Amino acid sequence: MNKIARDISPALTAEETRRYGRQLVLDQIGPDGQEKLKSAHVLVIGSGGLGSPVLLYLAAAGIGHLGIVDFDIVDITNLHRQVLFGDADLDCSKARSAAARLQAQNPHLAVTTHETRIDAGNAGELIAGYDVVVDATDNFAARYVINDACVRAGIPNVSASILRFDAQIAVFDPARGGPCYRCVFPAPPPAGLAPSCAEAGVVGVLPGIAGTLQANEVIKLICEIGTPLIGRLLSFDALETRFRNFEIARNPGCIACGAKADPNRPLGLAEAEPACAFETPVAEISVEKLAAAIAEGTQPFLLDVRGAAEREIARIAGSQGIALDMLEAEADSLPRDQPILCICHKGARSLKAARALTELGFTQVASLTGGVDAWAERIDPSLKRY
Amino acid sequence: MSIVIELPTTLRPFASGEAQVALNDHASFNEALGSLIARHPRLKSRLVTGSGTVYDFVSVFVNDRRVGPDEFPEITLDDGDVVTLVPAMAGG
Ligand SMILES: [Zn+2]
């Protein structure tokens, strides 16, 4: 029995019949399918790049009840891909801004907002009562929690992820015989081997493509039509415009969905791995200290580890560019007899770079705290911020 | 006569930018992996753990079908086989 009140009458009104007419006439959907959509409860976790198209299309298609989980607020750097939001939403709650936009789009829609971060403690409760869960999150911790909670509750997880120009989409649903996320990716990458979208970048239209594919899978699952993306991992390469279907299967030994899965295992990733425990400590210096060193003529070798496109937007004068992922390949070109200061956008990649150089035997390496962004904010306001 | 290993975008910078690496056929999966790393040593730390097994966040597909780590020793790659490495990604 679902916890969420099923108080919407599934029968379509005359207005709804007109509104959804173009999809109602499809034999595969028809009035029955449309009533199933109206009765459906779909939880979308993350209302960012992927969540925006998922929510917009599901609201338009006549899903009766949408839940939105997002703790975040709208930032200007979100707007190139998070098409639910505009300038008027800056600094506002994503979940609430999304709910207002969706209800303006379709007054028949009921929305529940959860302004919280999904974690092992609340996941079971958040997803309870929903027919389908959509994973539109942007981090591994959430992905493993959502997977484990959905497996345990027997709810299909319509999942997508994106990076740079690549996307992956799959429906994880052991209850229908398919694998779960852990069957395919038993563990996340160790810290340092997986760039985030903030560091690696993402082309704005990519979550639009992946998110609309997720919305399509949700509609298929609810209407019970077509062949769901279960047992397949769909990959999309936006640069080559190439889709590929990979065959994926249940792993009998999977700790989430396998025969011997422990029903009491805590959801998500074990907390045993503090992100930085084994990482080489790195010296950090502030932008003020760098400005003083430059004024005195004692500045270190300035190594900008961002990509060429970012360097074109704003850079510290005199810095040399080697993108982080090329650093090891080109480390031989760096001076060994001079201090090296690694610089990036906000100070995360430069820490990784400084660590990598230290591990390669460079002895005088530091990272610029706050990166070019702090430099533009506090030292040189003529630089553009992004 | 050869097999091909397809590398994900994220690993190409560590393989001289190559998207595909052609290797001799009639190799076991583990031999092919060894040849790949011998040719592009900088892939090693990003692809295999300290004990030499492929990281759990990299799914391995042979001719588009996923193979689990238990199957690696039994796989023989024949002419025309395509091995694709697909890493987990988390962006949203
Ligand atoms: Zn599983």
Side-chain angles (χ1 to χ4, degrees):
Chain A
M1 184 64 193
N2 285 309
K3 287 198 320 197
I4 296 170
R6 303 263 169 175
D7 52 1
I8 305 169
S9 159
L12 300 177
T13 64
E15 197 274 335
E16 286 172 307
T17 303
R18 276 176 60 79
R19 173 182 288 260
Y20 306 120
R22 295 293 182 277
Q23 83 188 17
L24 268 171
V25 297
L26 297 168
D27 287 340
Q28 291 84 349
I29 295 186
D32 286 355
Q34 194 64 50
E35 285 176 7
K36 286 179 186 165
L37 295 174
K38 187 178 177 181
S39 308
H41 292 59
V42 178
L43 183 68
V44 179
I45 307 175
S47 59
L50 292 167
S52 287
V54 171
L55 288 162
L56 285 164
Y57 275 98
L58 291 183
I63 297 289
H65 189 124
L66 285 172
I68 305 171
V69 182
D70 207 316
F71 63 91
D72 208 358
I73 59 167
V74 180
D75 181 82
I76 193 164
T77 62
N78 299 150
L79 299 182
H80 88 294
R81 67 190 187 286
Q82 303 188 9
V83 295
L84 258 176
F85 312 115
D87 281 36
D89 303 306
L90 289 175
D91 299 323
C92 298
S93 148
K94 284 188 184 177
R96 272 182 290 149
S97 297
R101 164 86 190 266
L102 298 171
Q103 277 172 318
Q105 183 188 338
N106 188 343
H108 302 287
L109 173 70
V111 182
T112 305
T113 56
H114 306 275
E115 290 175 76
T116 181
R117 189 190 286 271
I118 191 160
D119 60 29
N122 64 16
E125 201 177 329
L126 280 171
I127 69 167
Y130 284 97
D131 303 304
V132 181
V133 167
V134 177
D135 185 344
T137 60
D138 63 359
N139 65 88
F140 284 109
R143 289 182 182 278
Y144 283 89
V145 165
I146 292 166
N147 178 70
D148 294 354
C150 285
V151 169
R152 210 166 278 178
I155 300 173
N157 169 15
V158 179
S159 170
S161 59
I162 51 170
L163 192 71
R164 294 192 175 113
F165 293 93
D166 294 321
Q168 295 169 353
I169 306 104
V171 176
F172 297 111
D173 192 2
R176 285 177 170 83
C180 80
Y181 184 69
R182 273 188 199 271
C183 291
V184 184
F185 299 114
L193 282 190
S196 72
C197 279
E199 291 173 19
V202 61
V203 61
V205 71
L206 182 63
I209 295 167
T212 47
L213 286 166
Q214 284 178 288
N216 186 49
E217 291 305 314
V218 172
I219 289 168
K220 284 161 58 188
L221 286 172
I222 292 167
C223 295
E224 299 172 278
I225 55 173
T227 308
L229 198 54
I230 295 173
R232 287 184 286 158
L233 179 72
L234 180 67
S235 84
F236 176 62
D237 176 338
L239 282 178
E240 302 300 324
T241 310
R242 191 157 77 131
F243 282 101
R244 285 179 74 177
N245 268 286
F246 292 104
E247 198 183 312
I248 52 178
R250 287 281 282 279
N251 167 11
C254 175
I255 62 164
C257 75
K260 289 183 185 152
D262 171 6
N264 298 313
R265 186 180 60 84
L267 302 176
L269 300 170
E271 285 184 72
E273 5 169 353
C276 303
F278 304 105
E279 290 181 342
T280 315
V282 167
E284 294 196 62
I285 82 163
S286 67
V287 291
E288 286 79 10
K289 213 168 152 190
L290 174 61
I294 290 175
E296 290 165 16
T298 58
Q299 77 262 34
F301 181 88
L302 301 177
L303 175 65
D304 190 330
V305 298
R306 298 171 301 153
E310 289 183 81
R311 281 176 51 74
E312 208 167 297
I313 303 168
R315 71 177 88 168
I316 298 177
S319 59
Q320 308 286 312
I322 300 179
L324 179 59
D325 55 12
M326 294 307 295
L327 191 56
E328 248 186 87
E330 298 185 18
D332 288 345
S333 67
L334 295 170
R336 293 233 171 220
D337 53 354
Q338 195 184 343
I340 297 174
L341 180 64
C342 300
I343 300 165
C344 68
H345 181 212
K346 291 191 168 173
R349 274 171 291 173
S350 58
L351 268 180
K352 284 185 194 171
R355 215 163 264 142
L357 289 177
T358 306
E359 282 159 15
L360 286 171
F362 288 83
T363 51
Q364 308 172 71
V365 190
S367 163
L368 182 69
T369 307
V372 171
D373 195 55
W375 183 263
E377 184 187 28
R378 308 206 306 256
I379 307 293
D380 182 357
S382 74
L383 290 185
K384 283 194 192 119
R385 297 178 68 190
Y386 62 99
Chain B
M1 307 297 265
S2 66
I3 59 120
V4 164
I5 300 192
E6 295 183 306
L7 298 174
T9 326
T10 45
L11 290 182
R12 292 175 199 168
F14 308 101
S16 315
E18 288 182 55
Q20 297 193 333
V21 179
L23 299 168
N24 290 335
D25 60 353
H26 297 301
S28 71
F29 172 77
N30 287 332
E31 284 164 353
L33 188 66
S35 307
L36 174 70
I37 290 169
R39 191 173 304 180
H40 297 292
R42 289 186 303 118
L43 285 174
K44 187 175 183 183
S45 63
R46 288 164 180 85
L47 199 51
V48 297
T49 63
S51 53
T53 55
V54 178
Y55 271 118
D56 272 347
F57 76 90
V58 181
S59 239
V60 175
F61 296 85
V62 176
N63 301 329
D64 293 351
R65 189 185 71 82
R66 185 178 189 274
V67 290
D70 312 348
E71 300 171 70
F72 292 167
E74 299 154 24
I75 299 171
T76 306
L77 299 166
D78 296 318
D79 186 39
D81 281 350
V82 177
V83 177
T84 310
L85 305 175
V86 178
M89 34 191 220

